[in-house]
Amino acid sequence: MARVSQSALHSELRIAIDTGGTFTDCVWVEGGVLKTLKVFSTPDDPSRAIADALRKIGATGKTGEATRKPGAVTLLHGTTVGTNALLQRNGARVALITTSGFEDVIEIGRQARPRLYDFFFDRVAPLVGRELRFGVKERTDAEGRILERPPEAELTRVREAVRRANPDAIAISLLFSFANPENEAAVAAAVAELGKPLSVSHRILPEFREYERTSTVVVNAYLQPLMQSYMERLAERVKKHAEELGGGSGAARKQGEPRVSIPRIFVMQSSGGITALESAAREPVRTVLSGPAGGLVGAAAMAGRSGFRKILSFDMGGTSTDVAAVQGEVRAGGQAEVAGLPVGVPMLEIHTVGAGGGSLARFDAGGSLRVGPESAGADPGPICYGRGTEPTVTDANLVMGRLRPDRFLGGEFALDVERARRITTEWLKKQGSHLSLEQFSTGVVRVVNANMERALRVVSIERGYDPRDFALVAFGGAGGLHACELAEALAIPTVMIPERPGALSAFGILVSDVVKDYSRTLLWRIAGHPRQALPRARLQKEFRMLEAAAQKEFRAERWRGAVQYERSLDLRYRGQGYELNVPATNNKDSDKDDVTARFHREHQRRYGYHHAGREIELVTLRLRARLRTPQPQSQFKVAQPQTAQKASPSVAPVERSPVVFHGKAVTTPVFERADILPGRSLTGPAVITEYSATTVISPGRKFWVDASENLVIRVR
């Protein structure tokens, strides 16, 4: 893979592509105009849908323009390849090398039980079986002192054992390697000649907690061959597309024609920033929440333009719903769990539930209605798409009149309402249900709303936030269909539907910065006495070491531009088993307890108490290196969501149709979003259609389009 330069981020055409379970969304800026395209995903090989989208964009510019000159294309990609591999357990066969005697750490895990009273719960099996775990005789103590170096004979023994096992990838995680990586580096050098992809813990996650660190490195190794193969396949398809636009490759081009420039490819990380293709292939563990991270970045960016700083993001797609809380700016957390496996690299704090437009409805053994987490996906999809045979949330919304069959994707794809009604009715008879079609559809929406309401409570109430202080930013293809009812249930006063809601994740990828994260566990005691202050000189030295590592990596990838550094600290009271992350200060003249005071306040907010005189430990340093990228539509002025709106009865609906609200059909006007002038208010009920999504507004709710072209709904 070729190295990249920052100039690629400023090239003539930048296309952001988010691969979802049902649709692949594309957003790009052309001639100063932000454009959107949605194509059906190809789950067997996501790169096929991307190539299809690039052909449509490259051939006509989506607006009938002539083919643009070859090259000058940058592709920014949010991928679900890693997530799906973990969920479906179809990653690589991994060998794990660890300190002798600690081979079973990955299986022992923690003592926490996910379901305390479920006697039949089976814990998640480790990604590496016992036969593929290899111990090496070595020892480093907690202070980083080498107590035992692995002799050459021991390294040879381990290398040959791994050779005989013939794994697809190798993970290496030795005890206390975060304090001193010498032994781990020696083991990595010994097995490098096997030619297998290597994941080494001191390079990926130099932090304490043996189980979480080992799990993270194993997940990286588990995804590495699959992600490398996918990235190579994607790069090849993109290259082929560029050559087709350029009139062929090599000798096929006419003499004197310009050389075709191969598009650069960047990948969205779970932390909310993009990285070079080769970095993503080397550390795929950082991309497992790639798509949802783009959605959260996009939601925060669009909400900020409308004056909303405290938001609950609600991204409902075809397969799942992703929710998160944001106060001011998007921040990444240090620990997360994906598919039941701990992952310690920085990730945005996103909570996901299996509830989407394609979620399947069913009756359980007791006759209760359930929705999800199983999904119809893109193939066969909902019944109304023409191939599905089981009812989904999308079919229920269509039957209830919330989706308009001839306005889906701007009218490019017609939904088959008669097929949905007929097959769902037959399905209900087979289930022995006495519910009418309308009752069943209403029940499906209520059940999926309850699932999503619980998810929103997890990221708000359970984390010490009052939902009444936030705005609900709803997006994704199905987010606007359910947002008002969720806001009503949680007493959220305002709903905001951003411009192009069905492609907001792709927009978030488009506006994301280049980001690299670094960390180092220290375990220092810093406070417990009013005169005891943060050791600033030592702290500066450690941060400079991380900054030097960042500069080296940016230079290696040939990035150019001013890199911004964001410093933060993981702190805890001595004796606690968990930490809170707070920003670090660079001001040497600031009050000595700035950091500890922030920690006390955050502990009070998160847990309802703090200990002002208790000793505090500095556990881990964190550094985020950021390279800013150009922001499209930056000319938008910030709207004021609290200002009074003028009534506007002059907006004409494109049609009127019965829509079910709270179990009753109400004749409802249907508006095209482009017809609603900014600053003019209307009153629900209403259905608002646009190319990428549909929004349903409950009766009596005022709504308007603000100066930033976001749809604002006043719920309370």
Side-chain angles (χ1 to χ4, degrees):
M1 301 177 187
R3 290 181 175 180
V4 298
S5 67
Q6 190 192 5
S7 61
L9 295 177
H10 300 268
S11 54
E12 181 178 327
L13 181 64
R14 299 172 63 233
I15 305 172
I17 299 183
D18 174 47
T19 302
T22 305
F23 288 100
T24 293
D25 305 327
C26 310
V27 171
W28 71 101
V29 177
E30 189 172 351
V33 178
L34 191 67
K35 298 184 178 182
T36 305
L37 173 70
K38 295 175 78 74
V39 299
F40 281 101
S41 295
T42 50
D44 60 314
D45 182 2
S47 67
R48 285 198 295 113
I50 295 174
D52 181 36
L54 290 176
R55 277 192 293 272
K56 291 183 178 181
I57 295 170
T60 65
K62 187 69 172 52
T63 58
E65 302 166 4
T67 301
R68 66 178 55 83
K69 62 184 179 181
V73 174
T74 296
L75 178 62
L76 312 173
H77 181 31
T79 175
T80 57
V81 170
T83 313
N84 293 339
L86 287 176
L87 293 173
Q88 299 168 12
R89 288 297 185 103
N90 62 358
R93 186 169 175 266
V94 178
L96 170 62
I97 302 175
T98 187
T99 302
S100 181
F102 291 82
E103 295 90 343
D104 296 329
V105 163
I106 193 175
E107 186 157 2
I108 295 171
R110 299 291 176 189
Q111 293 300 310
R113 295 179 60 184
R115 300 179 188 174
L116 191 59
Y117 300 107
D118 187 351
F119 293 109
F120 303 100
F121 175 75
D122 292 326
R123 61 192 301 271
V124 177
L127 295 177
V128 182
R130 188 63 181 83
E131 72 282 359
L132 285 173
R133 302 177 208 153
F134 304 93
V136 58
K137 294 180 180 179
E138 65 83 35
R139 185 56 60 92
T140 302
D141 70 9
E143 303 298 324
R145 294 185 294 264
I146 302 294
L147 304 180
E148 180 182 0
R149 298 182 186 275
E152 191 62 35
E154 178 69 2
L155 294 176
T156 301
R157 181 191 66 80
V158 171
R159 180 177 61 242
E160 294 308 310
V162 173
R163 189 195 302 274
R164 289 192 296 271
N166 193 28
D168 300 319
I170 301 171
I172 305 174
S173 181
L174 303 186
L175 197 64
F176 295 117
S177 62
F178 63 88
N180 187 336
E182 287 185 26
N183 283 357
E184 195 167 80
V187 174
V191 299
E193 67 178 55
L194 298 179
K196 306 291 185 179
L198 288 180
S199 297
V200 187
S201 75
H202 74 267
R203 299 173 189 165
I204 296 173
L205 190 67
E207 298 180 21
F208 80 145
R209 291 199 171 97
E210 196 67 17
Y211 170 54
E212 287 77 8
R213 180 163 57 94
T214 303
S215 174
T216 302
V217 177
V218 166
V219 168
N220 193 79
Y222 188 74
L223 300 178
Q224 208 169 2
L226 181 68
M227 187 65 81
Q228 286 180 345
S229 174
Y230 170 68
M231 293 299 180
E232 290 170 359
R233 195 163 57 248
L234 174 61
E236 184 61 31
R237 288 188 187 276
V238 171
K239 178 182 177 182
K240 182 179 179 181
H241 162 73
E243 291 173 344
E244 289 173 352
L245 284 183
S249 61
R253 289 195 304 271
K254 296 179 181 179
Q255 188 175 7
E257 286 187 352
R259 180 180 176 84
V260 176
S261 176
I262 303 303
R264 306 291 192 180
I265 303 176
F266 304 89
V267 180
M268 186 69 179
Q269 300 178 97
S270 308
S271 60
I274 60 173
T275 189
L277 180 71
E278 57 268 57
S279 296
R282 184 174 62 250
E283 296 188 6
V285 69
R286 298 184 184 274
T287 69
V288 292
L289 290 182
S290 178
L296 183 53
V297 171
M302 296 301 285
R305 292 173 179 172
S306 290
F308 297 108
R309 304 295 295 169
K310 299 175 70 174
I311 66 169
L312 295 176
S313 73
F314 168 57
D315 178 7
M316 184 178 180
T319 304
S320 62
T321 291
D322 306 305
V323 297
V326 177
Q327 293 197 92
E329 62 180 22
V330 176
R331 296 188 62 188
Q335 290 288 338
E337 190 175 277
V338 181
L341 301 167
V343 176
V345 296
M347 292 186 179
L348 299 185
E349 295 183 347
I350 299 171
H351 180 64
T352 302
V353 292
S359 293
L360 296 169
R362 70 185 190 283
F363 292 99
D364 65 15
S368 296
L369 180 61
R370 306 286 184 185
V371 180
E374 298 82 8
S375 173
D379 187 12
I383 297 172
C384 59
Y385 284 11
R387 296 196 304 272
T389 57
E390 297 180 81
T392 67
V393 174
T394 295
D395 297 309
N397 277 313
L398 182 62
V399 169
M400 295 172 70
R402 299 178 172 213
L403 280 173
R404 309 310 306 152
D406 55 347
R407 298 185 182 278
F408 194 71
L409 290 183
E412 293 181 4
F413 182 82
L415 300 178
D416 193 339
V417 63
E418 293 305 321
R419 185 176 192 272
R421 297 181 68 89
R422 174 174 52 81
I423 293 181
T424 302
T425 301
E426 295 172 355
W427 182 87
L428 284 170
K429 290 180 181 179
K430 292 179 181 178
Q431 304 300 313
S433 173
H434 298 291
L435 294 175
S436 68
L437 182 61
E438 288 70 22
Q439 289 173 330
F440 170 73
S441 298
T442 301
V444 169
V445 170
R446 286 178 177 173
V447 171
V448 78
N449 281 350
N451 294 340
M452 296 184 294
E453 180 187 338
R454 282 194 295 271
L456 286 167
R457 289 179 181 274
V458 168
V459 299
S460 58
I461 297 171
E462 293 185 16
R463 295 181 182 175
Y465 300 126
D466 187 342
R468 295 172 294 184
D469 297 334
F470 289 74
L472 182 66
V473 179
F475 55 101
L481 294 167
H482 302 261
C484 279
E485 292 169 335
L486 291 172
E488 292 166 2
L490 291 168
I492 298 173
T494 306
V495 171
M496 193 199 90
I497 311 293
E499 187 185 15
R500 297 175 179 83
L504 192 69
S505 291
F507 175 79
I509 295 169
L510 188 70
V511 301
S512 292
D513 301 323
V514 181
V515 170
K516 295 183 182 295
D517 292 286
Y518 303 88
S519 61
R520 175 172 163 78
T521 291
L522 297 176
L523 290 174
W524 291 350
R525 297 179 187 178
I526 65 168
H529 188 281
R531 296 181 180 178
Q532 198 170 358
L534 195 68
R536 297 191 184 280
R538 293 173 63 194
L539 196 60
Q540 288 285 351
K541 181 180 178 181
E542 293 291 343
F543 271 124
R544 288 194 189 101
M545 290 173 61
L546 296 182
E547 290 176 2
Q551 292 166 4
K552 180 179 179 181
E553 191 166 350
F554 273 89
R555 284 195 302 269
E557 294 181 1
R558 297 182 183 176
W559 295 105
R560 294 191 299 272
V563 179
Q564 300 175 4
Y565 297 107
E566 301 167 13
R567 299 176 172 185
S568 65
L569 306 171
D570 286 358
L571 304 178
R572 69 183 181 188
Y573 293 119
R574 188 183 178 193
Q576 282 183 330
Y578 54 89
E579 301 81 46
L580 292 175
N581 182 262
V582 298
T585 177
N586 295 327
N587 185 357
K588 297 180 181 179
D589 299 324
S590 61
D591 190 81
K592 65 176 181 289
D593 63 352
D594 267 354
V595 172
T596 57
R598 283 196 290 272
F599 170 72
H600 290 312
R601 288 195 298 270
E602 178 64 12
H603 202 283
Q604 177 71 40
R605 185 201 66 78
R606 185 72 180 267
Y607 301 109
Y609 72 97
H610 72 281
H611 296 291
R614 189 167 174 179
E615 187 172 21
I616 296 175
E617 290 180 329
L618 190 163
V619 178
T620 302
L621 306 183
R622 299 194 183 277
L623 177 73
R624 167 162 284 202
R626 183 189 299 272
L627 196 63
R628 297 289 181 181
T629 60
Q631 301 293 300
Q633 295 184 304
S634 58
Q635 72 275 14
F636 281 173
K637 61 182 180 180
V638 175
Q640 298 299 322
Q642 303 302 325
T643 55
Q645 308 295 317
K646 298 178 181 179
S648 177
S650 59
V651 181
V654 293
E655 63 175 313
R656 295 181 182 273
S657 180
V659 178
V660 177
F661 292 97
H662 306 296
K664 295 182 180 179
V666 179
T667 300
T668 302
V670 179
F671 299 96
E672 279 289 343
R673 181 162 174 169
D675 294 339
I676 304 176
L677 298 177
R680 300 287 182 171
S681 74
L682 297 166
T683 302
V687 173
I688 300 176
T689 62
E690 56 186 301
Y691 173 73
S692 65
T694 299
T695 300
V696 175
I697 300 173
S698 303
R701 311 302 181 191
K702 287 188 176 182
F703 63 95
W704 63 91
V705 173
D706 67 14
S708 295
E709 299 189 22
N710 294 321
L711 177 64
V712 180
I713 306 167
R714 185 55 50 83
V715 177
R716 183 169 64 92

